[in-house]
Amino acid sequence: MSKDVYETELSVLNQENAELKREIEKLKEELAECCSALSQDGKIKKKVAEMKVEFTHMEDTEGGFADTNTHCVFSVTTRIPFKLNQNQALLTLEDEEVAERLTKMGKHTVNLDGTTADVKVVPFTVGMGVKFELHVTISGKKINVSDIPELPIPDEWMRDKLELNFYKSEHGGGEVENVKYDKRSRTAVITFTRPGAMASIVRCARHPFYVNGRCHRISVSPSTDGHLEKLQLFSGISTKTILLKGIKETEDDEESVQDMIEIHFQKPSNGGGETESIKYVSKGAVWVSFEEDA
């Protein structure tokens, strides 16, 4: 082996070694993220971005007894973000076996309009995602009251005034069973004796509250209780999506290069097959997101 060939192969091996080290560090970071998500008391801590939730069904009443509450179930699945860097591409194939075969082949010589590029195919590791059901119960007899004014009167008087206010409210109401008043937070929970008495009240978010000849505005909202069920954390290597690295920069536009890459990996003679989607980045970086395959 000549010295030039030896140095070339050594340079390639060093480059591959550096890439493997970066992949190992990335996997370590993801492992640390998964571990930090579990606190010592067994609770799971995960930041979930604001999202739209899908209402799936209403729960039936157990035991055949009349239930004045409304029980709702929402299915929530977080999207998984991934940073796609310059000269990289994500390719999703229709067949898992094709993705596995292309990954095992490792390197592919791709024709980019007269020039060739040695593209490296590596498994695509999906970050941590969260899936759970959100169970929400909306009370049929209780309402939450906030923004109660601070007044120099005993707590018992304030409870009486709140009870009287919602007993004869112009927006509905009725006989009050109980008033739980918290002076520090300026909030209260009003429980009516008649189911459904609160329905017309919560349609208006701000209500007049008359005390000592003055009108104050208090906020009213339904009393709800929520909890999570069927919580799942998922992470791993994608079975259909592969990551392409080392794509050379060309004078062609990004879309044309993307098409040439896709054509190469569609050909059975190159070990490929039908593709579902591809995203190539020639400059800078972009964020792509993955979601559960429905």
Side-chain angles (χ1 to χ4, degrees):
M1 183 182 296
S2 67
K3 182 179 179 181
D4 292 341
V5 174
Y6 174 80
E7 290 179 350
T8 301
E9 292 193 358
L10 181 61
S11 176
V12 172
L13 288 173
N14 287 335
Q15 184 178 357
E16 291 180 353
N17 188 37
E19 290 183 0
L20 288 173
K21 286 182 178 179
R22 285 193 291 268
E23 290 293 330
I24 292 172
E25 291 301 319
K26 181 181 176 182
L27 290 173
K28 285 183 179 179
E29 292 176 1
E30 292 175 354
L31 179 60
E33 181 184 355
C34 291
C35 293
S36 64
L38 298 175
S39 62
Q40 293 182 354
D41 57 4
K43 293 182 179 179
I44 293 175
K45 297 179 180 180
K46 174 70 176 175
K47 292 182 178 180
V48 179
E50 182 178 345
M51 68 182 72
K52 293 181 179 180
V53 295
E54 178 186 355
F55 175 76
T56 56
H57 65 279
M58 294 185 66
E59 292 186 335
D60 295 330
T61 304
E62 295 181 359
F65 297 102
D67 191 350
T68 62
N69 299 332
T70 302
H71 303 271
C72 307
V73 181
F74 299 87
S75 296
V76 180
T77 304
T78 61
R79 290 185 175 183
I80 304 173
F82 176 78
K83 186 178 181 181
L84 188 62
N85 294 315
Q86 182 174 331
N87 297 328
Q88 293 183 353
L90 282 174
L91 179 65
T92 301
L93 298 119
E94 293 184 357
D95 194 340
E96 295 180 6
E97 293 182 0
V98 175
E100 183 180 2
R101 181 168 63 246
L102 291 172
T103 304
K104 286 183 177 180
M105 293 172 65
K107 287 186 178 180
H108 297 261
T109 302
V110 180
N111 183 9
L112 299 178
D113 197 18
T115 63
T116 58
D118 290 330
V119 177
K120 186 177 180 181
V121 177
V122 296
F124 173 65
T125 304
V126 181
M128 187 173 69
V130 178
K131 181 180 180 181
F132 58 87
E133 283 186 356
L134 175 62
H135 291 244
V136 179
T137 299
I138 305 173
S139 176
K141 296 176 64 177
K142 295 181 181 180
I143 59 172
N144 293 328
V145 182
S146 57
D147 299 330
I148 300 173
E150 295 184 21
L151 300 174
I153 59 176
D155 291 0
E156 185 177 350
W157 290 11
M158 180 63 79
R159 284 192 289 269
D160 292 341
K161 290 182 181 298
L162 286 168
E163 179 179 348
L164 181 61
N165 187 81
F166 287 102
Y167 177 76
K168 60 176 185 179
S169 172
E170 62 187 41
H171 295 285
E175 186 176 350
V176 176
E177 179 182 305
N178 185 39
V179 177
K180 290 184 178 180
Y181 168 60
D182 186 349
K183 186 174 183 178
R184 294 184 61 183
S185 62
R186 297 168 54 201
T187 62
V189 178
I190 312 293
T191 304
F192 295 93
T193 58
R194 180 175 60 86
M198 44 70 66
S200 57
I201 292 180
V202 295
R203 291 174 185 169
C204 180
R206 302 283 288 177
H207 280 255
F209 180 44
Y210 297 95
V211 182
N212 298 334
R214 293 188 59 186
C215 178
H216 304 269
R217 290 287 174 177
I218 55 178
S219 300
V220 176
S221 62
S223 178
T224 61
D225 178 63
H227 67 277
L228 303 183
E229 290 186 10
K230 300 181 180 179
L231 177 64
Q232 300 176 14
L233 299 179
F234 53 91
S235 180
I237 298 176
S238 175
T239 56
K240 289 186 177 182
T241 300
I242 56 178
L243 179 61
L244 311 179
K245 292 184 173 182
I247 303 171
K248 287 183 178 179
E249 294 185 21
T250 67
E251 296 181 356
D252 296 303
D253 60 89
E254 191 170 89
E255 186 175 351
S256 297
V257 175
Q258 181 171 283
D259 290 342
M260 286 183 280
I261 296 172
E262 185 173 15
I263 290 171
H264 174 89
F265 287 101
Q266 281 179 333
K267 293 180 179 179
S269 58
N270 296 325
E274 290 299 320
T275 61
E276 289 186 359
S277 62
I278 182 173
K279 178 59 182 176
Y280 162 64
V281 178
S282 61
K283 294 181 180 179
V286 298
W287 284 96
V288 296
S289 62
F290 289 78
E291 57 188 9
E292 185 182 24
D293 188 357

